[in-house]
Amino acid sequence: MAGSEQPPAAAGTDGGLGDRSLSQGLSVLVGLALCVTMLGLGCAVELGQLGQQLRRPVGVLLALLGQFVAMPLLAFLLALLFALDEVAAVAVLLCGCCPGGNLSNLMSVLVDGDMNLSIIMTASSTLLALFLMPLCLWVYSRHWINTALVQLLPLGAVSLTLGSTLLPIGLGVLIRYRHPRAADLLVKISLWSLLVTLVILFILTGTMLGPELMAHIPASVYAIAVLMPLAGYALGYGLATVFKMPPHCRRTVSLETGCQNVQLCTAILKLTFPPQLIGSMYMFPLLYALFQSAEAGLFVLAYKMYGRDSYKQEALGEEEDTDISYKKLKEEEVADTSYGTVTAEERSSVPMEPTQTAL
């Protein structure tokens, strides 16, 4: 298949990763980062919110459509459009099939989004990924089925990695239930560790791969890393518009759709694929994380500059509607309570007949 040859540096015993101990340290860092992220996600979930979403599962449905219909299809189409080889295609597909990440929760706060919706979408997409992520990988990798990498695609290891995330999520939910203040602190720690870990991973991986191997990453892969999160944001906003959601919910769904769990993607690439096969494509989820953060930052900046006033007017209009409704309700209550009563004026207008006393 054209374009499927590996770069020379990727064909070594360590796939160009250099010192084995540094590679093992990177694996440990990736695993710890994933655990901290999932723990923070669990700490952000409240059981009451879960019950409400189960009764009216709009957030779960949006997570399903955004993360396991729109994004995998988008990744597949981009891989075909740019004629990627099987290694790059698997990395792009894996990132597209991942559930939502914690970055969307942070960005939703900055654009005055619906935090309950954001957290529920992230949590539900993570749970749905246990079954739908391997299914999506199996379906969309059929185009490259005749290649060695796809034939060795470790769907069982992917499912095992996903299953291992349930423990920190469950622990986080328990901490939220028993110790809400500690849960709030852990959520903040997980968000900051997300940013720090991405920077460390980018620096370490770039150092281990070396500039020569970095140069072997095709320009088409860089283009996809730029276009894929941007298209995901647009798809999420359009999806929320179809559901006729209010503007602040549309912003939330947009961020939830475009932001992928890059820690999970990196962990699966690092822990389940042989380095000599995956080569420089270890860098794709980190490139995706870089551009999804930059584009989300531009989204936030544009909102702060141009959209904040409209949000305030919208919120003010909702408060006015609430006040008017409250006044109407009070008037109706007054009317209801006055029914059948006699006012002072009516009492004075009633003719008083003299009573005769029996002698």
Side-chain angles (χ1 to χ4, degrees), residues 104-106 108 114-123 252 256:
S104 58
N105 306 140
L106 177 62
S108 294
D114 189 331
M115 278 307 299
N116 288 336
L117 177 62
S118 176
I119 292 170
I120 289 299
M121 286 188 67
T122 304
T252 303
E256 282 293 329

Side-chain angles (χ1 to χ4, degrees), residues 29-251:
L29 178 62
V30 168
L32 289 176
L34 182 61
C35 288
V36 172
T37 300
M38 295 298 101
L39 178 64
L41 175 60
C43 287
V45 175
E46 294 184 2
L47 296 178
Q49 296 174 0
L50 288 177
Q52 182 180 0
Q53 288 297 321
L54 290 176
R55 290 190 296 270
R56 190 173 178 269
V58 177
V60 178
L61 179 60
L62 289 171
L64 171 66
L65 295 176
Q67 296 296 345
F68 302 109
V69 176
M71 291 304 292
L73 179 60
L74 173 64
F76 175 73
L77 293 177
L78 287 174
L80 290 182
L81 178 64
F82 286 92
L84 297 183
D85 59 43
E86 70 276 10
V87 177
V90 166
V92 171
L93 283 175
L94 187 61
C95 192
C97 295
C98 276
N102 284 36
L103 178 66
S104 58
N105 306 140
L106 177 62
M107 293 300 177
S108 294
V109 174
L110 299 177
V111 297
D112 298 317
D114 189 331
M115 278 307 299
N116 288 336
L117 177 62
S118 176
I119 292 170
I120 289 299
M121 286 188 67
T122 304
S124 59
S125 67
T126 303
L127 296 177
L128 289 170
L130 288 170
F131 310 100
L132 296 180
M133 187 176 176
L135 176 62
C136 290
L137 285 172
W138 181 81
V139 169
Y140 287 109
S141 65
R142 298 296 91 191
H143 182 77
W144 297 274
I145 190 61
N146 293 325
T147 62
L149 184 67
V150 174
Q151 289 177 354
L152 296 174
L153 188 63
L155 295 179
V158 171
S159 300
L160 183 62
T161 304
L162 287 167
S164 66
T165 63
L166 291 179
L167 181 60
I169 290 176
L171 180 60
V173 173
L174 180 62
I175 293 174
R176 165 63 64 181
Y177 179 73
R178 294 286 184 86
H179 308 285
R181 291 185 179 180
D184 292 335
L185 178 61
L186 287 173
V187 169
K188 294 178 182 179
I189 291 175
S190 69
L191 290 176
W192 282 108
S193 67
L194 165 65
L195 301 177
V196 173
T197 302
L198 289 178
V199 173
I200 294 175
L201 284 175
F202 195 87
I203 294 173
L204 286 181
T205 309
T207 302
M208 292 164 63
L209 290 173
E212 294 82 7
L213 197 55
M214 287 285 291
H216 280 91
I217 298 178
S220 57
V221 173
Y222 286 98
I224 290 176
V226 174
L227 294 175
M228 192 168 157
L230 191 62
Y233 295 140
L235 285 172
Y237 198 90
L239 184 64
T241 303
V242 169
F243 276 77
K244 298 180 180 180
M245 305 189 77
H248 70 290
C249 291
R250 294 179 190 177
R251 295 191 294 269

